Amino acid sequence: MTSWLVARRHADGSPSAWNLANALTVLRVLLVPLMAAALLVDGGDDPGWRVAAFGAFAVAIATDKVDGEVARRHDLVTDFGKLVDPIADKALIGTALVLLSALGELPWWITVVVLGREVGVTVLRLVVIRRGVIPASRGGKAKTVLQSLAVAVYLLPTPDAVAGWKPEVALVVVLLAVVVTVVTGLDYLASAVRQHRLGPPAPPATG
Ligand SMILES: O=P(O)(O)OC[C@H](O)CO
């Protein structure tokens, strides 16, 4: 692909933040209000709007997969992307969780625990940013997949034949997502401590 969004680079050859991968990340953020509006119409009861909310969510989640692929394949990994990509995921999934709780479909404690972890990891990333951006770990990526799956199960209108099963299935998936969310959050914190990213910088080695 030779589009300027892929080819644009700084003088030293490093990729510009204005690239296709980051554009997809921004698109994910722009889909958040669309998903929210579709979910809130008719208090979330209208199956048509519910499908629209699911569609916006699904497209947004697809951009998460595609932007990572594009960034790696075309050497477009930037600090902007490393920082904003997880924030875009948190905005999307966090908004869905809050609205599902507000609509009475998801226990509030789940939303609070997940948001607490996501805000905590974002603050950690910002606190240590002078010593380099903390990229998403494998566990963090798996966590986002599980959270996405859980939100998708809650969002999708269910045919009558399986409606009786939905609450149990949704709860199992979301509880699994909560466990992985908390564990990976603690892992980021432990890694930051291990790598001395927190606290004053280590004195220069002598001798
Ligand atoms: O666990 P985090 O905060 O690194 O977020 C992971 C990203 O959402 C993966 O795309």
Side-chain angles (χ1 to χ4, degrees):
M1 196 184 291
T2 54
S3 134
W4 68 271
L5 270 174
V6 173
R8 192 169 160 153
R9 289 184 182 269
H10 297 298
D12 64 358
S14 61
S16 161
W18 292 99
N19 66 53
L20 182 57
N22 290 340
L24 287 168
T25 304
V26 172
L27 173 65
R28 184 149 74 258
V29 176
L30 296 178
L31 284 166
V32 174
L34 291 184
M35 177 201 67
L39 193 52
L40 288 174
V41 175
D42 288 336
D45 286 337
D46 185 315
W49 284 110
R50 195 73 185 210
V51 170
F54 176 82
F57 180 77
V59 172
I61 282 301
T63 68
D64 189 26
K65 176 86 184 123
V66 176
D67 66 5
E69 284 292 323
V70 168
R72 279 185 294 276
R73 184 169 303 179
H74 297 283
D75 184 23
L76 296 174
V77 177
T78 59
D79 279 349
F80 176 88
K82 283 190 226 169
L83 189 63
V84 176
D85 177 82
I87 292 177
D89 295 347
K90 292 171 198 338
L92 177 69
I93 292 171
T95 300
L97 293 179
V98 167
L99 294 181
L100 286 167
S101 290
L103 291 170
E105 298 182 34
L106 178 71
W108 270 109
W109 72 263
I110 289 179
T111 297
V112 169
V113 169
V114 171
L115 288 187
R117 181 277 194 198
E118 302 301 357
V119 170
V121 170
T122 302
V123 169
L124 178 66
R125 278 200 169 96
L126 295 175
V127 165
V128 306
I129 199 161
R130 283 189 180 187
R131 296 177 199 185
V133 178
I134 301 176
S137 66
R138 277 192 179 183
K141 288 177 186 166
K143 167 224 67 170
T144 302
V145 170
L146 273 173
Q147 289 179 345
S148 308
L149 192 62
V151 169
V153 173
Y154 274 97
L155 281 183
L156 198 59
T158 323
D160 288 346
V162 289
W165 289 72
K166 181 169 170 174
E168 283 78 12
V169 172
L171 196 62
V172 168
V173 179
V174 84
L175 288 179
L176 195 58
V178 169
V179 171
V180 178
T181 297
V182 172
V183 169
T184 54
L186 294 174
D187 184 54
Y188 278 118
L189 184 59
S191 298
V193 171
R194 267 199 312 273
Q195 295 166 8
H196 306 288
R197 284 173 176 255
L198 292 167
T206 53

